[in-house]
Amino acid sequence: MTDHYDALETRDPAEREAALFARLPEVLRKAMAAPAYANLLRGTDPASVTSREALAGLPVLRKSELPALHKAAPPFGGFVADTPGSFARLFTSPGPIFEPEGRQADPWRGARALFAAGFREGDVVLNTFSYHLTPGGFIFDASARALGCAVIPAGPGNTEQQFELIEAYRPVGYSGTPDFLKILLDAAATAGRDVSSIKRALVSGAAFPKSLQEEMKSRGVEAYQAFGTADLGLIAFETAAREGMTVNEELILEIVKPGTGDPVAPGDVGEIVVTSLDPHHPWIRLALGDLTAALPGASRCGRTNMRIKGWMGRADQTTKVKGMFVRPEQIAEIGKRHPELGRIRLVVTRAGEADAMTLRAECASAPDALQSEVAATLRAVTKLGGTVELVGTGSLPNDGKVIADER
């Protein structure tokens, strides 16, 4: 058993940097064949963008802008030169944002993240991310199969049937949210079902505090976390060193001052901006709205790529709840569907080691059925359940905040 997925992970950092930026000009040329990139990057000479300093001079594309851009020029906002039929699968995420999956092996770059978490060829993996319309399930499915694992496409929920699959196939690995892993282990303990085959996990999509990590370990599951998006796949991941997250190969990650494209000083917290090198569907300086900071030095695990502290909050109000993004535009949509409501604020918290959300809404006079109607709208719009609290007019602060992440 080797310690690293391949030799790319242990390259001299200068060698990696040179290789990435040698490829970037051609990727930029491919990107500018798409009308939206041609407009965004107008005046750019791809041949001149061969360093981080040159890349930092290009405009950022904000992920928060993608829903409006995709709506104006469906499906991909003009940022993809090829037709939808040139891809393998086509997805949508809340917003909506439309995401294609490439036809290459490991299109989401996740195999090395699973390898770092201890997954190996021949393992059976229980994948509990959703396979319905959104790409999460397929991201981890494709990544595990690229590593040589067999995948149980379980999806979330239905614990009784999950137990049957686990007891029959004896998966050694789990991929999904940390919340559902805890639910699965708790339910198995209560029901007397045997899920002891699960020894390792790669989790994402929700907070994974040290307390929950230690609880999983005490129950026999060594769990690591990964940071990714539906657009880019796996961006960074934990390794055995447990020192932040190592940035994935084949990506250029920058940390910039929120609201700008300017790099922060070393070690400062800023917004994550990612450039990918897939010429079929490149992302050029995609600003994710997530905050992090770079860690100095190399990891004790021997991987030499840039390390980040992990997710440190949002540069904008968009937040991730149970693996799904919730956006200010969605909260505004709830207000449109219920004009009797005044100010609205979605409060995101943690309850029993799981994400929870409460929609607080001002209402001068609340009919008996309004609370349940708003709760139904909340689920319909965000695809997530939450509670609704109706409050008097003037109860919520007039600060423009519609999503408050209190985790």
Side-chain angles (χ1 to χ4, degrees), residues 86-375:
S86 67
F87 293 95
R89 292 187 177 92
L90 302 168
F91 302 105
T92 183
S93 292
I97 296 174
F98 298 101
E99 299 111 354
E101 178 186 79
R103 295 182 182 272
Q104 69 270 35
D106 197 14
W108 305 100
R109 310 173 192 87
R112 66 178 70 249
L114 287 162
F115 187 93
F119 292 63
R120 294 294 183 270
E121 182 178 356
D123 284 352
V124 176
V125 179
L126 180 77
N127 182 28
T128 67
F129 283 105
S130 174
Y131 282 80
H132 182 62
L133 295 180
T134 58
F138 290 92
I139 289 174
F140 286 82
D141 187 296
S143 300
R145 288 188 296 108
L147 186 58
C149 300
V151 180
I152 304 170
N158 198 347
T159 54
E160 187 64 31
Q161 191 169 16
Q162 300 256 7
F163 296 150
E164 293 177 4
L165 290 165
I166 293 168
E167 290 174 343
Y169 288 118
R170 308 303 292 164
V172 70
Y174 165 95
S175 55
T177 67
D179 298 351
F180 188 68
L181 177 57
K182 184 176 188 307
I183 289 170
L184 202 62
L185 296 178
D186 287 346
T190 300
R193 305 299 293 264
D194 181 9
V195 296
S196 62
S197 64
I198 298 176
K199 300 298 184 185
R200 44 190 170 266
L202 184 65
V203 301
S204 190
F208 190 47
K210 186 73 172 177
S211 60
L212 185 55
Q213 181 186 111
E214 291 300 323
E215 180 181 346
M216 294 299 102
K217 187 172 183 177
S218 72
R219 299 168 77 166
V221 181
E222 194 72 40
Y224 292 80
Q225 59 184 322
F227 170 68
T229 72
D231 323 87
L232 290 153
L234 276 294
I235 295 170
F237 51 88
E238 272 192 306
T239 73
R242 300 283 192 187
E243 298 172 335
M245 294 187 182
T246 298
V247 174
N248 210 341
E249 302 292 331
E250 311 298 312
L251 298 174
I252 301 171
L253 188 146
E254 304 170 86
I255 303 175
V256 307
K257 298 173 184 176
T260 77
D262 303 328
V264 300
D268 282 1
V269 176
E271 182 178 6
I272 298 171
V273 171
V274 179
T275 297
S276 70
L277 299 177
D278 176 3
H280 191 197
H281 183 216
W283 287 109
I284 309 301
R285 301 204 82 201
L286 182 65
L288 302 182
D290 292 301
L291 298 173
T292 196
L295 291 170
S299 172
R300 290 185 294 112
C301 73
R303 291 172 178 82
T304 58
N305 207 348
M306 175 184 184
R307 292 178 301 141
I308 59 175
K309 288 186 177 180
W311 187 81
M312 298 178 67
R314 293 289 297 172
D316 61 23
Q317 292 182 44
T318 300
T319 193
K320 190 178 282 186
V321 182
K322 297 182 179 178
M324 301 283 282
F325 278 111
V326 180
R327 307 178 186 281
E329 297 91 333
Q330 292 173 293
I331 307 307
E333 177 62 23
I334 295 171
K336 290 178 183 177
R337 296 189 188 187
H338 296 278
E340 63 271 42
L341 300 178
R343 294 195 186 104
I344 302 174
R345 174 176 298 208
L346 186 73
V347 180
V348 184
T349 57
R350 296 281 291 176
E353 299 288 12
D355 290 342
M357 60 185 197
T358 300
L359 186 74
R360 303 191 69 212
E362 293 182 2
C363 186
S365 177
D368 292 341
L370 181 60
Q371 190 170 13
S372 59
E373 290 171 356
V374 174

Side-chain angles (χ1 to χ4, degrees), residues 18 20-32 41 43-55 58 284:
L20 291 173
F21 282 93
R23 294 171 56 189
L24 182 57
E26 180 59 25
V27 173
L28 283 171
R29 279 189 281 270
K30 294 284 189 180
M32 292 174 70
L41 302 175
T44 299
D45 175 12
S48 69
V49 187
T50 57
S51 67
R52 285 188 179 267
E53 293 75 20
L55 180 62
L58 301 184
I284 309 301

